[in-house]
Amino acid sequence: MQRMTKTLTHAATPLPEFEEEFVTGLTAIFEEKIVFNQLLGLRITSLKADRVTARIDMRHELIGHYAYNRIHGGVISAGLDAMGGLAVMAAIGARHMNEPPLQRLQRFAKLGTIDLRVDYLRPGISEYFELRAEVLRLGSRVASTRMEFLGADGKLFSTGAAAYIVS
């Protein structure tokens, strides 16, 4: 079930396919070099120019409410923020397909969160969580994104919107 609409593309504009070298490099940055993402257990499940998805498996260290085994709200907000950043990285990578993959991967050094809004819609109780993000607008200095945090059954637990500095 897809809740988000395609906002990056038009019907006449085909989306670029990322090279394996770019996907491998971006995955390494996101899952390994950003050590906090390791702590959260964030794993990329899909990396496309217009949409990224990832997964967090529930585990004891992520519990925010001991009586209900709910995921901590900080894990939700940090996960959504990370996903917004990943969506921006993918969009930047797609914008500069004329450059070699390694050169595109170096464009993320100045990326940072300017603003983040999270709406908690229901308690996060699930065996795992799916996170989705897309870029609404990628400008030369600022990118705007929207994100979703869902349970294993596809139920929407939280939404987010963020702005990122890109240059």
Side-chain angles (χ1 to χ4, degrees):
M1 174 172 16
Q2 290 189 345
R3 288 172 169 65
M4 293 185 183
T5 58
K6 302 264 187 221
T7 56
L8 274 182
T9 61
H10 303 303
T13 309
L15 291 173
E17 288 289 325
F18 293 130
E19 312 90 328
E20 185 176 332
E21 185 179 9
F22 182 79
V23 172
T24 301
L26 186 49
T27 301
I29 289 169
F30 187 78
E31 293 182 359
E32 298 166 25
K33 292 184 179 177
I34 302 174
V35 180
F36 191 66
N37 290 349
Q38 280 184 341
L39 184 68
L40 294 175
L42 265 168
R43 293 282 176 215
I44 296 172
T45 56
S46 176
L47 187 60
K48 304 289 183 195
D50 65 336
R51 181 188 188 119
V52 295
T53 61
R55 176 180 165 139
I56 295 177
D57 290 326
M58 185 60 182
R59 57 187 205 279
H60 181 74
E61 297 81 11
L62 303 180
I63 292 174
H65 193 294
Y66 65 92
Y68 299 104
N69 289 329
R70 288 195 296 240
I71 194 164
H72 192 283
V75 174
I76 294 171
S77 64
L80 290 174
D81 184 24
M83 290 303 293
L86 179 63
V88 173
M89 291 178 197
I92 291 169
R95 177 180 278 180
H96 298 281
M97 289 296 287
N98 59 321
E99 298 174 359
L102 290 177
Q103 185 176 347
R104 279 183 279 147
L105 291 170
Q106 309 231 339
R107 291 183 164 273
F108 310 139
K110 295 182 181 178
L111 183 67
T113 308
I114 298 172
D115 184 57
L116 174 66
R117 176 189 168 83
V118 176
D119 291 314
Y120 300 95
L121 306 175
R122 60 181 48 92
I125 302 170
S126 187
E127 63 187 80
Y128 69 87
F129 304 94
E130 181 178 332
L131 294 83
R132 302 176 183 166
E134 67 179 354
V135 173
L136 301 175
R137 182 178 186 280
L138 177 61
S140 61
R141 297 186 51 84
V142 176
S144 298
T145 63
R146 87 172 137 204
M147 302 82 71
E148 296 178 332
F149 192 94
L150 304 99
D153 61 358
K155 190 175 287 187
L156 185 63
F157 289 143
S158 299
T159 61
Y164 298 86
I165 190 78
V166 296
S167 66

